[in-house]
Amino acid sequence: MVRKNIILSSLFLGLVSASPLHQKRQDLPFDRYDESVAAGADSTDTPPAGDDAPQMNGTFNPDAVAADIVATVVDTPPAEAQASNDAPPEVITINLLKRSGTNVARADPPATSCIVRTFNGPQVSNPDTPEAFTSYADFATAATDATKAANVPSGYAVVPNFVNLKAVAKDKSYITYTSSKLTTYDPKKCAAICDTLAGCTSFNIYYERVPLEISKAKQVPDAALGCPGNADATSATLIKCAFYGMPLVATSATEVYQFQGKAFKVVYAGSTAFTKSAGPSVDGFQGPITFGNGGDASINAPAPVIDHGYLRSQTFGTNVPFSPELCAASCNAQTEYNQKHGTNKGQACVFFNAYVFYKNGQNGVFTCAYYGTAYGASFAKNKGQKDNSGNVWTVGSSYGYYAPGFYVAK
C-alpha cells in the first residue's frame, strides 16, 4: 500500500464574524464563509477513477494543528483597533497540513504492455454499457440492504437522501479511498477503516465502472500500448469506499461520470453515504451534547452578546476535518489570551459549540463558537438564517462541550 504525501499549505482558521463588542445578536459567521471555502479550494475532493493513484494518504495530525492554533492565539497581540481590549484578534493565520492531488510514484516497475486489471465487483456484460451498469439491479439491492438497521455500522447513520445514487461525493475534506481492502459491498468494513483514519467523519461506498484493460505502469488506458480505452472497451467493476473529514450530505453527491482513455465512460451505481452518528469526545471537556434535532441548531446567546459571555467564532478551511479537539485547543488558548491581555473582560473560555454551517445546503464549513458563559440545549435556537441576497444558511452536526464543572442541562 503506497501512501500519498501531505503538503503544507496556509489556510485561514480564526475568521471571526465580528468582535463581540459590536454585536447585538449572535449571527452565523457567514461573512467569512467564502474565505473558508477559498482556503480549501485547491484540495482534492473525490477519489480518482479506477486505481490510478495510491489508495491511502498520509493522515491528518490534529495535535500538530492544535499546537499551531495555541501558539498563534496566545502570541498574537491585540490590534490597535481593539484598544478597548474587549475583543480577541480578528484573524488568525495557521499553516495546516493539506492533502495534495499530486500522485506519488508507484512501487510497480515500468510496464511495456497492457494488463487486465484486478477488480472486486461483478462485471456487467450483457450489455456492457454505462446505462446497463447504472441500472444493474444487484447494485441497487446491495445499496438498499446496507441501510437496513442490522447492516448499518455501529456508531454511524445513513446520510438522508444519499442512498443508492448514481453519483458520488465531492467534498474538499476528502481524505483517501480504498478498493483493494474490499471484497464485497461492505459498509461495516468501510466504517472500521474510517475509525482508524485521523479526522475521518464519513464515508461513501459505491460501484464504479472502469476499463478492464489498462497500462500496468500508469493504471489507466494507454493507446500507445494497445489499450486505448475506447467507448466500447470491456468494463470491470470496482467497489470503493471514499473517506471524508466532514459530515457528508445529500448535496455532496455531484460527481456523475468522467472519462478515461479515448472515450471510456466511468459511471457509478449504488452510491450510499454514512456519517458518524455523534460528535467525538474531547479530552478535558464534558460532551458532546447534541443541539437541536440531531444537531441542526447552534447556540444563540442572549443579546447583547458582549454581556452574555460570547467570545468569538472561528471558521476553518473546507479541507479541515470536523475536529472539535481543535476548538478545545483554541478555547483553552483563548482563556490564556484573555488573562494575558485583559480582553473579553478577562473571561475564561468555559464552553464551545462545534458545528458545520452550509450555504444553500452545500460546502459545509467547520466552525467553533466560544463562550465565557455555559449554555445548555434550550439556547440552541439558531437553525439557520437568510441573508439579503437570498442565500439560506443552515446548521448541522452541532455539539456542545463544557469545561469541568460548567455543564448545564438547559
Side-chain angles (χ1 to χ4, degrees), residues 1-23:
M1 179 174 67
V2 183
R3 291 185 179 273
K4 187 182 293 186
N5 291 330
I6 292 180
I7 296 177
L8 282 171
S9 178
S10 178
L11 298 182
F12 288 100
L13 287 189
L15 302 173
V16 181
S17 60
S19 66
L21 181 67
H22 302 108
Q23 282 193 268

Side-chain angles (χ1 to χ4, degrees), residues 288-354:
I289 304 301
T290 304
F291 290 147
N293 182 13
D296 69 348
S298 62
I299 293 295
N300 196 353
V305 294
I306 186 60
D307 295 329
H308 292 90
Y310 172 62
L311 302 177
R312 66 186 178 105
S313 292
Q314 183 178 41
T315 63
F316 295 76
T318 49
N319 61 348
V320 179
F322 181 77
S323 303
E325 62 263 45
L326 300 183
C327 308
S330 191
C331 182
N332 290 331
Q334 186 70 56
T335 296
E336 183 177 348
Y337 185 92
N338 289 348
Q339 292 173 348
K340 181 177 180 179
H341 296 290
T343 53
N344 287 296
K345 302 179 181 180
Q347 294 179 88
C349 179
V350 300
F351 163 67
F352 66 85
N353 180 194

Side-chain angles (χ1 to χ4, degrees), residues 121-124 132-144 164 185 207-208 237 239 268-271:
Q123 284 183 287
V124 180
F133 186 92
T134 57
S135 60
Y136 190 60
D138 287 356
F139 293 162
T141 298
T144 53
N164 190 33
Y185 189 96
Y207 296 96
E208 179 179 88
T237 301
I239 305 171
Y268 312 98
S271 178

Side-chain angles (χ1 to χ4, degrees), residues 104-349:
V104 299
R106 284 183 164 269
D108 300 331
T112 58
S113 62
C114 298
I115 62 169
V116 174
R117 78 180 322 135
T118 300
F119 56 93
N120 60 351
Q123 284 183 287
V124 180
S125 58
N126 188 24
D128 188 352
T129 64
E131 295 76 19
F133 186 92
T134 57
S135 60
Y136 190 60
D138 287 356
F139 293 162
T141 298
T144 53
D145 283 351
T147 64
K148 295 178 180 178
N151 298 328
V152 174
S154 177
Y156 287 78
V158 179
V159 174
N161 302 314
F162 199 146
V163 176
N164 190 33
L165 301 184
K166 299 176 182 179
V168 297
K170 293 185 71 173
D171 190 274
K172 295 299 183 180
S173 68
Y174 167 68
I175 300 171
T176 189
Y177 78 99
T178 188
S179 178
S180 62
K181 290 180 176 291
L182 301 175
T183 56
T184 61
Y185 189 96
D186 187 356
K188 291 184 179 180
K189 178 67 174 179
C190 299
I193 296 172
C194 184
D195 289 341
T196 69
L197 297 173
C200 185
T201 298
S202 53
F203 65 87
N204 180 197
I205 183 171
Y206 55 92
Y207 296 96
E208 179 179 88
R209 180 180 188 264
V210 292
L212 179 64
E213 289 190 278
I214 55 173
S215 158
K216 181 178 180 181
K218 299 178 181 179
Q219 294 291 299
V220 293
D222 189 330
L225 298 180
C227 46
N230 292 327
D232 60 353
T234 301
S235 74
T237 301
L238 294 179
I239 305 171
K240 282 187 174 180
C241 263
F243 303 96
Y244 295 85
M246 289 285 281
L248 293 175
V249 293
T251 54
S252 304
T254 58
E255 180 79 0
V256 178
Y257 67 89
Q258 54 183 296
F259 287 94
Q260 279 199 336
K262 286 191 173 181
F264 186 90
K265 191 172 185 180
V266 175
V267 292
Y268 312 98
S271 178
T272 302
F274 297 80
T275 191
K276 290 184 176 178
S277 53
S281 59
V282 173
D283 290 344
F285 285 80
Q286 184 175 352
I289 304 301
T290 304
F291 290 147
N293 182 13
D296 69 348
S298 62
I299 293 295
N300 196 353
V305 294
I306 186 60
D307 295 329
H308 292 90
Y310 172 62
L311 302 177
R312 66 186 178 105
S313 292
Q314 183 178 41
T315 63
F316 295 76
T318 49
N319 61 348
V320 179
F322 181 77
S323 303
E325 62 263 45
L326 300 183
C327 308
S330 191
C331 182
N332 290 331
Q334 186 70 56
T335 296
E336 183 177 348
Y337 185 92
N338 289 348
Q339 292 173 348
K340 181 177 180 179
H341 296 290
T343 53
N344 287 296
K345 302 179 181 180
Q347 294 179 88
C349 179

